[in-house]
Every structure is written in C-alpha cells, then in structure tokens.
Amino acid sequence: MSGSAVDLHLHSTASDGRLDPSALVAHVAARGVRLMSLTDHDTIAGLAEASAAADAAGITCVTGIELSAVWRGRGIHILGYDFDPEAPAMGAMLAGQHDRRLSRARQIAARLDRARAPGQAALELALAATPLPTRTHFARALAELGVAPDAPTAFEQWLARGRPGYVTGEWPTVAATVECIVASGGAAVIAHPHRYTLSNGVRRELGTEFREAGGAGVEVATGGANATQFDMCLSLAVRCGLEGSAGSDFHDPAVPWNPPGRLAKLPTSLRPVWRRFRAPAGCIEQA
Ligand code: AMP
Ligand code: MN
Ligand code: MN
Ligand code: MN
C-alpha cells in the first residue's frame, strides 16, 4: 500500500473542498486510506454522507470538524474528532460559527468594496455556493468576476493576511473551542501548526494553553510540509506533552502538493491521537 492509511484532515463541497463527500471517500479509499475524517470548516453537514460512503467502501470515517478559533488576535484552526455530533455544546458551537461566518463574510465584502473590488457581487456568488462562506469561496468568486486570473492569485492579492479583504473573524478562543470539543466527547488537535507565523517560543505557549484547556494532539504529519516543518510540529507535540495526528488538508484533486494519504509517518515514540477513537481497533494502525 502506498501512502498513509490514516488521513484525518479532508475537505468536501460541504465547505471549500472540490469533491462531494461520497466522491471524496472514493478518492481517499483509492489512495489506500483506511481511517479518515471529513473536517470541513465549521460545519458537519457532509458527515452523514461521508460516513455512509465509508461504510460502503469498507473504510472507517470518524466524525470531524475544523473549527475556526482565535488566540492572541490570530486565527488558529482546531480540529475536533470522534465527538457526538448531537451534543448540545457542539450544537451551540455550530450555530454560533454559522452566524460568525456570515457576519465575517459581510465584513469581507464591505472591505473589498471599499478597496474597489466587487465585494458584494463576490458575496452573492459565495452564498450561492455555500451557507458558510470561507475565504476560498471569495477567492473563487473574485476570479469568476475577472478580478484575478485564478483563485489562488485572488486569494494572495485580496484575502491573505494584510490584504484589503482580510478579516480575522470574531471566533471563539482556542480554550473555548477545545472545551466544546471535549464536552462533546471528542478529541481536539491543533491543525497545521507550521502555518502560523509565530516564533517557536510563542507556538509552545499556544500548545501549552491548548493542552491545559484539554487539547489532545498536534497535527505532526501534514500535507505538503517539508522536513523542517515536520520537525517543528513534532517538537511542538513533544515539548507540550501532546499526541500526534496526521492529515493532508486535501481540498482539490487538481492541486498536486497535498493528495490524501501522502503523509510522513509519525515516530513510534509519539502516541497517535487516533488510539483514543472509539473506532474498530483494526482500523487504527498506521501503514
Ligand atoms: P477561512 O477559514 O475563511 O479564513 O479560509 C481559510 C481557507 O482558505 C483555508 O482552509 C484554505 O483552504 C484557504 N487558504 C488559506 N491560505 C491560502 C492561500 N495562501 N492561498 C489559497 N488558499 C488559501
Ligand atoms: Mn479550507
Ligand atoms: Mn486550516
Ligand atoms: Mn483544513
């Protein structure tokens, strides 16, 4: 089997992924993934379809989500796994995130308009595609409106941190987000730690606060990361007493750098976070 049998960070058309949940499951299963989680941004709308498709494909799919949070004024993504999707704490979080995504999308549109880009038109296109617009939806809309040659360029020019349409969002704190996942019976993991522009010392403060709030792990094997980034994520987990996780952050089969399941192995000294999952034991060994 090539690649990794575990991929716990995947997106579908329920947020900013390109494949619908069934097509995503077929795609990851064909690449040898045996334990997966669909982790769309602030929504669990795709989980029922993914779970049914995984059953049909003979692979295991645990409940998942990528929650937007804020820490010291910065956006941080927290993955939640194996939680009860019906838990009251998760229900309240989902309702709040829905409202916060909408109000942030309106702020993004207003900022783009002020910068003489078609923000309102982009918002309308984004809302035609999803009830929870992400910056990816704005980037696609701006490209469709002819503001940039393609969505990645639109993202870099208009939506990246420091650009005219950038809005962090009024997300819950990292601690509140972790507490919600734990109260819902799940395990919390810091997503793609190498992508936050923090010094190693400050990143460790994040990891320590995260663990003290009840956080379980760190994404150590991440899609597209180089060896230096892997070592940094591993060191964060070890120094903060956190477990390890593995996820590609796959969105789009046309993007070559982070296909599902192409992930470095975790060192055997690091406990994998998926050992906590209530999934069948045979499914939780990494290839
Ligand atoms: P949001 O949660 O609305 O801030 O959107 C974040 C999403 O934008 C991420 O999950 C990625 O899918 C996408 N994204 C982040 N950075 C970039 C980038 N530099 N270029 C293109 N897409 C990006
Ligand atoms: Mn995304
Ligand atoms: Mn993310
Ligand atoms: Mn993601």
Side-chain angles (χ1 to χ4, degrees):
M1 187 189 300
S2 69
S4 165
V6 179
D7 194 332
L8 299 177
H9 191 158
L10 300 157
H11 292 279
S12 77
T13 49
S15 68
D16 60 350
R18 285 295 197 186
L19 301 180
D20 65 36
S22 303
L24 174 74
V25 170
H27 190 66
V28 307
R31 295 189 57 92
V33 172
R34 291 289 167 264
L35 173 64
M36 64 166 282
S37 186
L38 174 59
T39 52
D40 277 322
H41 298 284
D42 304 302
T43 179
I44 59 170
L47 293 193
E49 183 182 329
S51 175
D55 285 349
I59 71 171
T60 301
C61 180
V62 295
T63 57
I65 192 164
E66 184 171 17
L67 287 169
S68 310
V70 73
W71 185 76
R72 299 190 187 172
R74 281 174 178 279
I76 301 285
H77 287 174
I78 303 295
L79 297 155
Y81 296 116
D82 205 28
F83 53 86
D84 172 9
E86 313 264 305
M90 187 54 69
M93 173 63 84
L94 292 170
Q97 294 297 77
H98 177 269
D99 292 352
R100 287 184 279 269
R101 271 220 175 259
L102 268 187
S103 90
R104 172 176 177 252
R106 290 192 198 102
Q107 291 173 49
I108 291 174
R111 288 186 61 102
L112 290 170
D113 282 333
R114 281 202 294 279
R116 301 184 193 287
Q120 207 51 46
L123 175 60
E124 280 161 30
L125 280 177
L127 286 173
T130 177
L132 288 109
T134 67
R135 285 183 292 158
T136 314
H137 295 96
F138 273 96
R140 289 176 190 155
L142 288 174
E144 197 176 326
L145 291 164
V147 173
D150 52 45
T153 308
F155 198 103
E156 288 302 330
Q157 289 181 339
W158 296 99
L159 300 156
R161 193 175 164 85
R163 295 299 183 174
Y166 181 78
V167 178
T168 304
E170 285 158 19
W171 309 115
T173 62
V174 163
T177 304
V178 171
E179 282 156 18
C180 162
I181 293 166
V182 172
S184 307
V189 167
I190 300 176
H192 42 62
H194 61 292
R195 286 209 224 139
Y196 313 122
T197 49
L198 304 170
S199 69
N200 286 339
V202 172
R203 199 179 282 109
R204 279 202 293 276
E205 289 173 22
L206 167 65
T208 302
E209 280 185 37
F210 171 82
R211 179 172 44 72
E212 286 170 354
V218 168
E219 214 168 48
V220 169
T222 66
N226 62 32
T228 308
Q229 292 167 328
F230 177 88
D231 288 346
M232 193 277 287
C233 296
L234 175 59
S235 146
L236 179 69
V238 171
R239 301 278 297 255
C240 296
L242 291 160
E243 298 170 354
S245 189
S248 62
D249 203 7
F250 170 81
H251 287 73
D252 181 348
V255 172
W257 56 267
N258 64 339
R262 192 203 285 165
L263 294 164
K265 282 191 179 184
L266 299 185
T268 50
S269 56
L270 191 67
R271 184 181 156 91
V273 75
W274 54 89
R275 292 269 162 78
R276 295 168 173 250
F277 296 171
R278 289 158 289 195
C283 295
I284 62 175
E285 294 307 320
Q286 194 172 9

PDB file of all heavy atoms in Angstrom, residues 243-256:
ATOM      1  N   GLU A 243      -0.230  14.511  21.867  1.00  0.00           N
ATOM      2  CA  GLU A 243      -0.149  13.373  20.955  1.00  0.00           C
ATOM      3  C   GLU A 243       0.009  13.866  19.518  1.00  0.00           C
ATOM      4  O   GLU A 243      -0.052  15.073  19.256  1.00  0.00           O
ATOM      5  CB  GLU A 243      -1.412  12.511  21.117  1.00  0.00           C
ATOM      6  CG  GLU A 243      -1.513  11.951  22.530  1.00  0.00           C
ATOM      7  CD  GLU A 243      -2.837  11.274  22.861  1.00  0.00           C
ATOM      8  OE1 GLU A 243      -3.772  11.324  22.031  1.00  0.00           O
ATOM      9  OE2 GLU A 243      -2.918  10.713  23.967  1.00  0.00           O
ATOM     10  N   GLY A 244       0.210  12.907  18.586  1.00  0.00           N
ATOM     11  CA  GLY A 244       0.421  13.278  17.188  1.00  0.00           C
ATOM     12  C   GLY A 244      -0.770  12.924  16.323  1.00  0.00           C
ATOM     13  O   GLY A 244      -1.501  11.972  16.599  1.00  0.00           O
ATOM     14  N   SER A 245      -0.963  13.707  15.260  1.00  0.00           N
ATOM     15  CA  SER A 245      -2.005  13.375  14.296  1.00  0.00           C
ATOM     16  C   SER A 245      -1.456  13.513  12.880  1.00  0.00           C
ATOM     17  O   SER A 245      -0.339  14.021  12.681  1.00  0.00           O
ATOM     18  CB  SER A 245      -3.230  14.258  14.504  1.00  0.00           C
ATOM     19  OG  SER A 245      -4.295  13.780  13.698  1.00  0.00           O
ATOM     20  N   ALA A 246      -2.240  13.039  11.910  1.00  0.00           N
ATOM     21  CA  ALA A 246      -1.806  13.014  10.519  1.00  0.00           C
ATOM     22  C   ALA A 246      -2.965  13.436   9.624  1.00  0.00           C
ATOM     23  O   ALA A 246      -4.043  12.831   9.685  1.00  0.00           O
ATOM     24  CB  ALA A 246      -1.351  11.605  10.140  1.00  0.00           C
ATOM     25  N   GLY A 247      -2.757  14.480   8.823  1.00  0.00           N
ATOM     26  CA  GLY A 247      -3.832  14.925   7.936  1.00  0.00           C
ATOM     27  C   GLY A 247      -3.296  15.753   6.796  1.00  0.00           C
ATOM     28  O   GLY A 247      -2.403  16.584   6.971  1.00  0.00           O
ATOM     29  N   SER A 248      -3.841  15.528   5.597  1.00  0.00           N
ATOM     30  CA  SER A 248      -3.317  16.183   4.393  1.00  0.00           C
ATOM     31  C   SER A 248      -3.862  17.592   4.175  1.00  0.00           C
ATOM     32  O   SER A 248      -3.257  18.391   3.475  1.00  0.00           O
ATOM     33  CB  SER A 248      -3.657  15.338   3.160  1.00  0.00           C
ATOM     34  OG  SER A 248      -5.070  15.246   3.019  1.00  0.00           O
ATOM     35  N   ASP A 249      -5.044  17.909   4.726  1.00  0.00           N
ATOM     36  CA  ASP A 249      -5.754  19.161   4.408  1.00  0.00           C
ATOM     37  C   ASP A 249      -6.103  19.205   2.917  1.00  0.00           C
ATOM     38  O   ASP A 249      -6.083  20.253   2.276  1.00  0.00           O
ATOM     39  CB  ASP A 249      -4.923  20.391   4.811  1.00  0.00           C
ATOM     40  CG  ASP A 249      -5.785  21.635   5.033  1.00  0.00           C
ATOM     41  OD1 ASP A 249      -7.025  21.524   5.007  1.00  0.00           O
ATOM     42  OD2 ASP A 249      -5.195  22.714   5.227  1.00  0.00           O
ATOM     43  N   PHE A 250      -6.438  18.046   2.384  1.00  0.00           N
ATOM     44  CA  PHE A 250      -6.818  17.930   0.971  1.00  0.00           C
ATOM     45  C   PHE A 250      -8.118  18.687   0.697  1.00  0.00           C
ATOM     46  O   PHE A 250      -9.089  18.571   1.435  1.00  0.00           O
ATOM     47  CB  PHE A 250      -7.002  16.443   0.631  1.00  0.00           C
ATOM     48  CG  PHE A 250      -7.622  16.181  -0.703  1.00  0.00           C
ATOM     49  CD1 PHE A 250      -6.845  16.218  -1.851  1.00  0.00           C
ATOM     50  CD2 PHE A 250      -8.985  15.905  -0.823  1.00  0.00           C
ATOM     51  CE1 PHE A 250      -7.420  15.974  -3.098  1.00  0.00           C
ATOM     52  CE2 PHE A 250      -9.555  15.655  -2.063  1.00  0.00           C
ATOM     53  CZ  PHE A 250      -8.778  15.694  -3.200  1.00  0.00           C
ATOM     54  N   HIS A 251      -8.091  19.477  -0.401  1.00  0.00           N
ATOM     55  CA  HIS A 251      -9.294  20.192  -0.860  1.00  0.00           C
ATOM     56  C   HIS A 251      -9.678  19.823  -2.292  1.00  0.00           C
ATOM     57  O   HIS A 251     -10.854  19.864  -2.633  1.00  0.00           O
ATOM     58  CB  HIS A 251      -9.066  21.710  -0.854  1.00  0.00           C
ATOM     59  CG  HIS A 251      -9.030  22.358   0.498  1.00  0.00           C
ATOM     60  ND1 HIS A 251      -7.981  22.231   1.367  1.00  0.00           N
ATOM     61  CD2 HIS A 251      -9.919  23.175   1.122  1.00  0.00           C
ATOM     62  CE1 HIS A 251      -8.225  22.938   2.463  1.00  0.00           C
ATOM     63  NE2 HIS A 251      -9.391  23.513   2.345  1.00  0.00           N
ATOM     64  N   ASP A 252      -8.666  19.569  -3.139  1.00  0.00           N
ATOM     65  CA  ASP A 252      -8.925  19.650  -4.582  1.00  0.00           C
ATOM     66  C   ASP A 252      -7.999  18.676  -5.318  1.00  0.00           C
ATOM     67  O   ASP A 252      -6.773  18.790  -5.199  1.00  0.00           O
ATOM     68  CB  ASP A 252      -8.618  21.103  -5.007  1.00  0.00           C
ATOM     69  CG  ASP A 252      -8.866  21.372  -6.479  1.00  0.00           C
ATOM     70  OD1 ASP A 252      -9.066  20.424  -7.251  1.00  0.00           O
ATOM     71  OD2 ASP A 252      -8.844  22.569  -6.845  1.00  0.00           O
ATOM     72  N   PRO A 253      -8.559  17.735  -6.087  1.00  0.00           N
ATOM     73  CA  PRO A 253      -7.685  16.783  -6.791  1.00  0.00           C
ATOM     74  C   PRO A 253      -6.778  17.455  -7.824  1.00  0.00           C
ATOM     75  O   PRO A 253      -5.778  16.860  -8.238  1.00  0.00           O
ATOM     76  CB  PRO A 253      -8.663  15.812  -7.473  1.00  0.00           C
ATOM     77  CG  PRO A 253     -10.017  16.385  -7.320  1.00  0.00           C
ATOM     78  CD  PRO A 253      -9.985  17.470  -6.292  1.00  0.00           C
ATOM     79  N   ALA A 254      -7.094  18.698  -8.228  1.00  0.00           N
ATOM     80  CA  ALA A 254      -6.245  19.398  -9.205  1.00  0.00           C
ATOM     81  C   ALA A 254      -5.004  20.010  -8.560  1.00  0.00           C
ATOM     82  O   ALA A 254      -4.095  20.467  -9.252  1.00  0.00           O
ATOM     83  CB  ALA A 254      -7.047  20.491  -9.907  1.00  0.00           C
ATOM     84  N   VAL A 255      -4.978  20.047  -7.214  1.00  0.00           N
ATOM     85  CA  VAL A 255      -3.814  20.602  -6.506  1.00  0.00           C
ATOM     86  C   VAL A 255      -2.872  19.449  -6.178  1.00  0.00           C
ATOM     87  O   VAL A 255      -3.257  18.516  -5.479  1.00  0.00           O
ATOM     88  CB  VAL A 255      -4.259  21.327  -5.215  1.00  0.00           C
ATOM     89  CG1 VAL A 255      -3.062  21.736  -4.371  1.00  0.00           C
ATOM     90  CG2 VAL A 255      -5.116  22.543  -5.567  1.00  0.00           C
ATOM     91  N   PRO A 256      -1.644  19.471  -6.705  1.00  0.00           N
ATOM     92  CA  PRO A 256      -0.785  18.283  -6.577  1.00  0.00           C
ATOM     93  C   PRO A 256      -0.056  18.139  -5.243  1.00  0.00           C
ATOM     94  O   PRO A 256       0.426  17.049  -4.940  1.00  0.00           O
ATOM     95  CB  PRO A 256       0.232  18.479  -7.711  1.00  0.00           C
ATOM     96  CG  PRO A 256       0.293  19.954  -7.927  1.00  0.00           C
ATOM     97  CD  PRO A 256      -1.062  20.508  -7.573  1.00  0.00           C
TER      98      PRO A 256
END
